Protein backbone atom coordinates (compact mmCIF):
# COMPACT_ATOMS: atom_id res chain seq x y z
CA UNK A 1 0.00 0.00 0.00
CA UNK A 2 2.81 2.39 0.87
CA UNK A 3 4.47 2.00 -2.52
CA UNK A 4 1.17 2.47 -4.36
CA UNK A 5 0.51 5.69 -2.46
CA UNK A 6 4.05 6.84 -3.15
CA UNK A 7 3.83 6.24 -6.90
CA UNK A 8 0.40 7.89 -7.01
CA UNK A 9 1.76 10.87 -5.09
CA UNK A 10 4.70 11.19 -7.47
CA UNK A 11 2.47 11.04 -10.56
CA UNK A 12 -0.09 13.49 -9.20
CA UNK A 13 2.57 15.88 -7.92
CA UNK A 14 4.52 15.92 -11.18
CA UNK A 15 1.35 16.26 -13.25
CA UNK A 16 0.13 19.17 -11.16
CA UNK A 17 3.48 20.98 -11.19
CA UNK A 18 4.04 20.56 -14.92
CA UNK A 19 0.50 21.55 -15.81
CA UNK A 20 0.63 24.54 -13.47
CA UNK A 21 3.89 25.68 -15.09
CA UNK A 22 2.45 25.24 -18.59
CA UNK A 23 -0.57 27.43 -17.91
CA UNK A 24 1.02 29.92 -15.50
CA UNK A 25 3.88 31.11 -17.73
CA UNK A 26 1.69 32.20 -20.69
CA UNK A 27 -0.86 33.80 -18.37
CA UNK A 28 1.88 35.61 -16.46
CA UNK A 29 3.50 36.92 -19.64
CA UNK A 30 0.10 38.06 -20.90
CA UNK A 31 -0.19 40.04 -17.65
CA UNK A 32 3.00 41.94 -18.53
CA UNK A 33 5.81 39.95 -16.92
CA UNK A 34 8.87 38.87 -18.86
CA UNK A 35 9.65 35.19 -19.41
CA UNK A 36 12.22 35.25 -16.61
CA UNK A 37 9.87 37.21 -14.38
CA UNK A 38 7.12 34.68 -15.06
CA UNK A 39 9.37 31.76 -14.13
CA UNK A 40 10.39 33.52 -10.91
CA UNK A 41 6.71 34.26 -10.25
CA UNK A 42 5.87 30.55 -10.62
CA UNK A 43 8.57 29.49 -8.18
CA UNK A 44 7.54 32.18 -5.67
CA UNK A 45 4.57 30.22 -4.34
CA UNK A 46 4.82 28.16 -1.15
CA UNK A 47 2.48 25.63 -2.73
CA UNK A 48 4.81 25.06 -5.67
CA UNK A 49 7.97 24.82 -3.58
CA UNK A 50 6.39 22.43 -1.09
CA UNK A 51 4.95 20.17 -3.76
CA UNK A 52 8.39 20.07 -5.38
CA UNK A 53 9.81 18.97 -2.02
CA UNK A 54 7.18 16.22 -1.78
CA UNK A 55 8.02 15.02 -5.29
CA UNK A 56 11.72 14.99 -4.42
CA UNK A 57 11.02 12.81 -1.37
CA UNK A 58 9.22 10.31 -3.60
CA UNK A 59 11.99 10.41 -6.23
CA UNK A 60 14.70 9.91 -3.61
CA UNK A 61 12.98 6.89 -2.09
CA UNK A 62 11.87 5.27 -5.33
CA UNK A 63 15.26 5.54 -7.03
CA UNK A 64 18.04 3.13 -6.09
CA UNK A 65 20.79 5.56 -7.06
CA UNK A 66 21.06 9.31 -7.41
CA UNK A 67 22.94 12.43 -6.54
CA UNK A 68 23.66 13.08 -2.87
CA UNK A 69 21.43 16.17 -2.82
CA UNK A 70 18.54 14.12 -4.17
CA UNK A 71 19.09 11.37 -1.62
CA UNK A 72 19.04 13.99 1.14
CA UNK A 73 15.26 14.12 0.63
CA UNK A 74 15.07 10.49 1.78
CA UNK A 75 15.84 11.55 5.35
CA UNK A 76 13.03 10.40 7.70
CA UNK A 77 13.18 13.68 9.61
CA UNK A 78 12.93 15.71 6.41
CA UNK A 79 9.94 13.64 5.33
CA UNK A 80 8.13 14.64 8.52
CA UNK A 81 8.95 18.28 7.86
CA UNK A 82 7.47 18.02 4.37
CA UNK A 83 4.35 16.42 5.87
CA UNK A 84 3.94 19.49 8.06
CA UNK A 85 4.56 21.94 5.22
CA UNK A 86 2.23 20.25 2.73
CA UNK A 87 -0.48 19.99 5.40
CA UNK A 88 -0.16 23.75 5.88
CA UNK A 89 -0.56 24.15 2.11
CA UNK A 90 -3.87 22.27 2.15
CA UNK A 91 -5.29 23.86 5.30
CA UNK A 92 -4.38 27.47 4.48
CA UNK A 93 -5.72 27.11 0.96
CA UNK A 94 -8.97 25.53 2.10
CA UNK A 95 -9.62 28.01 4.92
CA UNK A 96 -8.07 31.26 3.68
CA UNK A 97 -7.40 31.28 -0.05
CA UNK A 98 -10.09 29.14 -1.69
CA UNK A 99 -12.91 31.60 -0.82
CA UNK A 100 -11.00 34.46 -2.48
CA UNK A 101 -11.19 33.23 -6.07
CA UNK A 102 -13.00 30.78 -8.31
CA UNK A 103 -10.55 29.13 -10.73
CA UNK A 104 -11.89 27.55 -13.86
CA UNK A 105 -10.72 24.90 -16.30
CA UNK A 106 -7.10 23.81 -16.02
CA UNK A 107 -6.44 26.26 -13.19
CA UNK A 108 -9.14 24.52 -11.17
CA UNK A 109 -7.62 21.14 -11.98
CA UNK A 110 -4.18 22.33 -10.81
CA UNK A 111 -5.69 23.68 -7.60
CA UNK A 112 -7.29 20.33 -6.86
CA UNK A 113 -4.12 18.38 -7.66
CA UNK A 114 -1.65 20.57 -5.75
CA UNK A 115 -3.78 21.73 -2.82
CA UNK A 116 -5.82 18.65 -2.06
CA UNK A 117 -4.89 15.37 -3.79
CA UNK A 118 -1.08 15.61 -3.65
CA UNK A 119 -1.05 16.69 0.03
CA UNK A 120 -3.53 13.95 0.98
CA UNK A 121 -1.50 11.28 -0.82
CA UNK A 122 1.73 12.43 0.80
CA UNK A 123 0.30 12.41 4.31
CA UNK A 124 -1.35 9.03 3.79
CA UNK A 125 1.90 7.60 2.41
CA UNK A 126 3.86 8.98 5.36
CA UNK A 127 1.45 7.43 7.83
CA UNK A 128 1.47 4.11 5.97
CA UNK A 129 5.17 3.77 5.25
CA UNK A 130 7.18 6.99 5.60
CA UNK A 131 7.15 7.57 9.35
CA UNK A 132 9.96 5.77 11.17
CA UNK A 133 9.92 7.34 14.63
CA UNK A 134 13.12 9.34 14.13
CA UNK A 135 11.72 12.86 14.48
CA UNK A 136 12.80 14.94 17.48
CA UNK A 137 11.01 17.80 19.20
CA UNK A 138 13.86 20.10 18.21
CA UNK A 139 13.13 19.35 14.56
CA UNK A 140 10.09 21.61 14.77
CA UNK A 141 12.31 24.67 14.97
CA UNK A 142 14.39 23.41 12.05
CA UNK A 143 11.25 22.89 9.97
CA UNK A 144 9.97 26.34 10.97
CA UNK A 145 13.00 27.88 9.24
CA UNK A 146 11.41 26.99 5.89
CA UNK A 147 8.27 29.17 6.18
CA UNK A 148 10.25 31.92 7.93
CA UNK A 149 12.74 32.07 5.07
CA UNK A 150 9.91 31.91 2.56
CA UNK A 151 8.01 34.83 4.13
CA UNK A 152 11.25 36.81 4.37
CA UNK A 153 11.86 36.25 0.67
CA UNK A 154 8.28 37.14 -0.29
CA UNK A 155 8.35 40.38 1.71
CA UNK A 156 11.82 41.34 0.47
CA UNK A 157 10.72 40.76 -3.11
CA UNK A 158 7.50 42.77 -2.79
CA UNK A 159 9.00 46.32 -3.04
CA UNK A 160 10.74 45.40 -6.31
CA UNK A 161 7.86 43.58 -7.98
CA UNK A 162 4.89 45.35 -6.41
CA UNK A 163 3.24 42.05 -5.58
CA UNK A 164 3.17 39.24 -3.03
CA UNK A 165 2.33 35.60 -3.76
CA UNK A 166 -0.55 35.53 -1.27
CA UNK A 167 -2.93 38.33 -0.24
CA UNK A 168 -2.42 37.84 3.50
CA UNK A 169 1.30 38.59 3.04
CA UNK A 170 0.56 42.10 1.82
CA UNK A 171 1.61 43.75 5.09
CA UNK A 172 1.55 47.24 3.57
CA UNK A 173 -2.08 46.88 2.53
CA UNK A 174 -3.41 44.79 5.39
CA UNK A 175 -1.30 46.21 8.23
CA UNK A 176 -1.85 44.43 11.55
CA UNK A 177 -4.23 41.94 9.97
CA UNK A 178 -1.49 40.89 7.57
CA UNK A 179 1.02 40.49 10.40
CA UNK A 180 -1.53 38.52 12.44
CA UNK A 181 -2.24 36.27 9.45
CA UNK A 182 1.46 35.53 8.94
CA UNK A 183 1.86 34.77 12.64
CA UNK A 184 -1.22 32.58 12.50
CA UNK A 185 0.29 30.50 9.72
CA UNK A 186 3.52 30.19 11.75
CA UNK A 187 1.49 29.02 14.76
CA UNK A 188 -0.31 26.48 12.59
CA UNK A 189 3.06 25.24 11.38
CA UNK A 190 4.25 24.75 14.96
CA UNK A 191 1.03 22.98 16.00
CA UNK A 192 1.22 20.62 13.04
CA UNK A 193 4.91 20.09 13.79
CA UNK A 194 4.05 18.96 17.31
CA UNK A 195 1.40 16.62 15.90
CA UNK A 196 3.85 15.23 13.34
CA UNK A 197 6.58 14.48 15.89
CA UNK A 198 4.10 12.89 18.29
CA UNK A 199 2.58 10.80 15.49
CA UNK A 200 6.02 9.81 14.22
CA UNK A 201 7.00 8.58 17.68
CA UNK A 202 3.81 6.55 18.07
CA UNK A 203 4.07 5.02 14.60
CA UNK A 204 7.76 4.31 15.13
CA UNK A 205 7.09 2.47 18.40
CA UNK A 206 4.25 0.52 16.79
CA UNK A 207 6.44 -0.61 13.89
CA UNK A 208 9.33 -1.45 16.22
CA UNK A 209 6.95 -3.59 18.29
CA UNK A 210 5.71 -5.44 15.22
CA UNK A 211 9.30 -6.07 14.16
CA UNK A 212 10.16 -7.76 17.46
CA UNK A 213 10.18 -11.56 17.27
CA UNK A 214 7.41 -13.29 19.20
Amino acid sequence: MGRILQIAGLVVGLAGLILQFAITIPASMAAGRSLLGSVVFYFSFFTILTNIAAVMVHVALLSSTGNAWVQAFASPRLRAGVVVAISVVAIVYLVVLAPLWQPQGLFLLCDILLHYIAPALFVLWWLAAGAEGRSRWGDIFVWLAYPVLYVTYALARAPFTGEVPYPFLDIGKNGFVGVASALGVAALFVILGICAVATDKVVGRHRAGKAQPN
Side-chain angles (χ1 to χ4, degrees), residues 54-155:
V55 165
M56 292 305 299
V57 170
H58 292 318
V59 169
L61 292 170
L62 287 170
S63 60
S64 57
T65 60
N67 295 324
W69 71 270
V70 174
Q71 291 304 311
F73 283 89
S75 164
R77 294 162 77 179
L78 189 146
R79 298 175 215 166
V82 175
V83 164
V84 174
I86 208 161
S87 297
V88 169
V89 165
I91 294 171
V92 171
Y93 185 80
L94 177 64
V95 176
V96 179
L97 299 174
L100 300 181
W101 77 314
Q102 290 75 43
Q104 303 293 326
L106 293 178
F107 283 99
L108 175 60
L109 176 59
C110 286
D111 270 11
I112 294 172
L113 292 176
L114 297 177
H115 292 112
Y116 299 120
I117 300 180
L121 286 172
F122 193 86
V123 173
L124 288 174
W125 162 76
W126 183 74
L127 290 171
E132 296 183 3
R134 300 190 193 180
S135 299
R136 304 292 181 266
W137 295 112
D139 290 339
I140 297 171
F141 299 100
V142 177
W143 301 335
L144 188 60
Y146 169 43
V148 169
L149 289 173
Y150 173 79
V151 171
T152 301
Y153 159 75
L155 296 181

Side-chain angles (χ1 to χ4, degrees), residues 20-66:
Q20 185 73 70
F21 185 87
I23 63 178
T24 295
I25 300 304
S28 177
M29 293 180 68
R33 300 183 186 89
S34 65
L35 175 59
L36 177 60
S38 297
V39 172
V40 172
F41 175 73
Y42 171 82
F43 286 104
S44 293
F45 286 87
F46 191 82
T47 294
I48 298 299
L49 298 176
T50 305
N51 272 279
I52 290 174
V55 165
M56 292 305 299
V57 170
H58 292 318
V59 169
L61 292 170
L62 287 170
S63 60
S64 57
T65 60

Side-chain angles (χ1 to χ4, degrees), residues 167 169-178:
L169 290 179
D170 194 340
I171 305 299
K173 179 180 179 180
N174 298 324
F176 175 77
V177 174

Side-chain angles (χ1 to χ4, degrees), residues 84 88 140 144 147-148 179-195:
V84 174
V88 169
I140 297 171
L144 188 60
V148 169
V179 174
S181 297
L183 292 176
V185 173
L188 174 63
F189 205 97
V190 172
I191 292 170
L192 291 177
I194 294 171
C195 293

